[in-house]
Amino acid sequence: MARALSTIAFTPAVRARQTEEGSREAYAPLDLPEADSGDRLGPAEVAFISERDGFYQATVSETGWPYVQFRGGPRGFLKVLDEKTLAYADFRGNRQYISSGNLTENDRVSLILMDYPNRRRLKVWSRARQIDAKDDPNLIASLREDGYRGLPERAVILTIEALDWNCPQHIPKRYTLEELAPDILALQNRIAELEAENAELKDFLKPTP
């Protein structure tokens, strides 16, 4: 954790709560000038992001209500443009436009990227810009993944304000079918081998007429 997280997330109310619960002293070093800024992507973050096929995104409406949704796509659809910038193609969905509408009034957005099998979680605080597909077709083309049928309506450009690798303690282990595919294939092959061996054994034990 780093200074940018402390600046954004540790509001007076949060700091007061930390004091009540006895954790304020542990987090106090994040406020020091020499603490790592924690607002730039490094090799570990870039590699992690490139492997994700979805993330949770939070925006806030002009009436103060948070809205969290899952954004999915082909693996790596969330692109790293540079150490301070992420971007993704916003594909057409149910056309409620809640996140998109919220971002027109409040550009703050938070992401949580999950790696369930390895119990890892990356949190990102950022500022968002939306660029309509017709206004920058080259940008949209650079964010598309070959073979993916989703229709991009706009690009969302995220300027990073803070990053945090979160505690894995309570993250459950879960696997997608894609992640399980090698193990499933190995089991299927082993079952086929056993079935063949069983058939041979039956032939061997079959009574001679």
Side-chain angles (χ1 to χ4, degrees):
M1 295 189 298
R3 191 170 65 251
L5 166 68
S6 176
T7 301
I8 292 174
F10 294 168
T11 63
V14 171
R15 291 168 187 266
R17 187 63 175 168
Q18 291 172 348
T19 299
E20 291 174 6
E21 298 294 339
S23 62
R24 176 89 285 271
E25 184 176 350
Y27 291 118
L30 299 181
D31 299 330
L32 299 176
E34 60 267 26
D36 179 70
S37 62
D39 61 354
R40 285 171 170 75
L41 299 167
E45 288 79 20
V46 172
F48 183 83
I49 291 168
S50 71
E51 289 296 315
R52 307 279 66 80
D53 60 1
F55 53 86
Y56 300 96
Q57 173 180 279
T59 58
V60 181
S61 72
E62 67 263 43
T63 56
W65 282 100
Y67 178 69
V68 180
Q69 66 170 175
F70 181 80
R71 307 304 300 242
R75 190 177 300 276
F77 79 99
L78 179 62
K79 307 292 186 185
V80 176
L81 302 188
D82 58 48
E83 65 179 4
K84 286 279 291 182
T85 312
L86 300 171
Y88 66 89
D90 188 6
F91 299 108
R92 177 172 292 178
N94 59 14
R95 299 177 66 82
Q96 290 184 341
Y97 300 114
I98 298 176
S99 294
S100 181
N102 286 348
L103 290 174
T104 64
E105 297 294 327
N106 186 336
D107 66 352
R108 294 177 179 86
V109 59
S110 294
L111 310 181
I112 293 181
L113 289 75
M114 299 298 303
D115 174 6
Y116 286 106
N118 296 297
R119 300 177 68 215
R120 296 189 298 169
R121 171 174 48 199
L122 178 63
K123 297 188 295 189
V124 180
W125 287 261
S126 60
R127 301 273 185 169
R129 289 186 295 118
Q130 300 181 90
I131 300 175
D132 195 89
K134 67 178 182 296
D135 294 332
D136 196 337
N138 291 331
L139 173 61
I140 295 296
S142 72
L143 297 177
R144 296 195 70 168
E145 293 289 328
D146 292 339
Y148 190 67
R149 297 176 60 185
L151 177 65
E153 294 186 317
R154 66 192 58 80
V156 179
I157 311 298
L158 304 171
T159 301
I160 295 169
E161 298 283 338
L163 301 163
D164 180 39
W165 288 98
N166 205 208
C167 171
Q169 182 178 0
H170 299 294
I171 299 176
K173 281 196 171 187
R174 294 174 179 160
Y175 298 86
T176 65
L177 288 176
E178 180 184 0
E179 290 162 341
L180 287 173
D183 295 319
I184 293 173
L185 179 60
L187 286 172
Q188 289 172 334
N189 290 338
R190 181 56 179 155
I191 290 170
E193 291 173 1
L194 292 173
E195 288 177 340
E197 291 176 6
N198 189 48
E200 291 178 3
L201 183 59
K202 285 181 177 180
D203 286 341
F204 177 76
L205 296 177
K206 185 183 299 183
T208 303

